[in-house]
Amino acid sequence: MISNENIMNCLAVILNAIEQRDWTTFQNIALKDSAVFRLMANIVANNPDFNGMTLLHAVVRYDPPLELVFNMILACREIAAARDCIGRTPLHVAAGTQASPSLIKLLVQACPESCEVQDDDGRTPLHLACDNSCQLFEDDFMQSRPPPSYDVIRYLLQGSLKAAALEDEDETSALEYAIISGAPIKVVKLLQKATQKQAKGECAIINTRQVRHAAVA
């Protein structure tokens, strides 16, 4: 049985490996044993110093190898849906730090419900992906970000069309952020189409309810 001291030493090593993007060390220590990984993941998730962030939150910030993320989720499936102290899921972090489309796709497939989760500012992962001025971490301000990626937006919308119609606390939609961020026209059209489709779906639901109510009356 592994002692608490050894667990904490391993945890220190893997946290450093994340910051250094040393994925081989992370894989060899953190994912060698799924039970040990779940134990370390639980320690991080319940430590107030991490503000509710999980190991997956920390890892996806640095756009890691897909196999590593897949193995993390396989070892601890609930980690993909976890929210930090301000309501952000790992998908929020990945979308807000411009992770690769492949990583976004993997996270969406692991937990599609995350696509429409709104954080404390009312923002979904789609909002963050469309806003190239968003700053999730203090040292993000030095990084120049390109306009929103078509593939990233497409994968997020595959997870939930509802996110396209949601507004944040500033009453701003993902489409509006995309336009402000200078998104390519095909990204804008994709978001417009998703918003219209979602609006039509909501209208159809309302009309159905009204017809049923009238029939009962």
Side-chain angles (χ1 to χ4, degrees):
M1 184 173 180
I2 301 176
S3 68
N4 288 337
E5 182 179 357
N6 285 339
I7 287 291
M8 296 309 296
N9 288 338
C10 288
L11 185 56
V13 172
I14 66 171
L15 290 175
N16 182 68
I18 292 172
E19 291 184 2
Q20 300 300 320
R21 295 176 171 83
D22 183 356
W23 304 123
T24 300
T25 296
F26 184 93
Q27 178 80 31
N28 291 339
I29 296 178
L31 293 168
K32 188 175 182 179
D33 186 305
S34 59
V36 172
F37 176 77
R38 288 193 295 271
L39 177 58
M40 289 190 289
N42 186 60
I43 291 173
V44 171
N46 291 287
N47 189 324
D49 292 338
F50 291 100
N51 297 315
M53 290 187 68
T54 66
L55 286 175
L56 188 58
H57 282 87
V59 164
V60 298
R61 178 185 179 188
Y62 299 104
D63 204 16
L66 296 182
E67 183 180 3
L68 183 143
V69 175
F70 177 82
N71 288 336
M72 291 178 71
I73 296 172
L74 190 63
C76 186
R77 295 187 182 276
E78 64 270 18
I79 202 171
R83 304 187 193 186
D84 62 18
C85 66
I86 52 177
R88 290 174 179 164
T89 66
L91 184 58
H92 280 83
V93 176
T97 53
Q98 295 203 315
S100 69
S102 297
L103 178 54
I104 296 295
K105 181 180 180 180
L106 175 59
L107 293 172
V108 170
Q109 290 175 336
C111 185
E113 296 82 5
S114 294
C115 292
E116 55 190 56
V117 169
Q118 292 178 277
D119 64 16
D120 287 0
D121 295 320
R123 290 185 159 199
T124 65
L126 186 64
H127 282 95
L128 299 178
C130 289
D131 181 11
N132 68 354
S133 67
C134 79
Q135 180 183 338
L136 298 189
F137 303 96
E138 292 182 358
D139 54 351
D140 283 352
F141 72 96
M142 295 296 293
Q143 301 177 7
S144 176
R145 297 178 49 171
S149 160
Y150 177 85
D151 286 333
V152 165
I153 304 306
R154 178 165 61 91
Y155 290 139
L156 289 171
L157 289 172
Q158 286 176 358
S160 172
L161 283 179
K162 180 181 178 181
L166 295 175
E167 294 184 343
D168 63 12
E169 291 297 310
D170 294 324
E171 298 184 349
T172 306
S173 68
L175 172 59
E176 291 170 310
Y177 279 117
I179 293 172
I180 294 171
S181 298
I185 187 64
K186 66 177 184 177
V187 171
V188 173
K189 288 184 176 180
L190 179 64
L191 287 163
Q192 288 175 331
K193 184 177 180 180
T195 303
Q196 292 168 357
K197 188 173 182 180
Q198 176 64 21
K200 288 181 180 179
E202 292 177 354
C203 287
I205 292 174
I206 292 173
N207 290 337
T208 299
R209 288 175 178 172
Q210 289 176 339
V211 169
R212 289 177 178 175
H213 180 73
V216 172

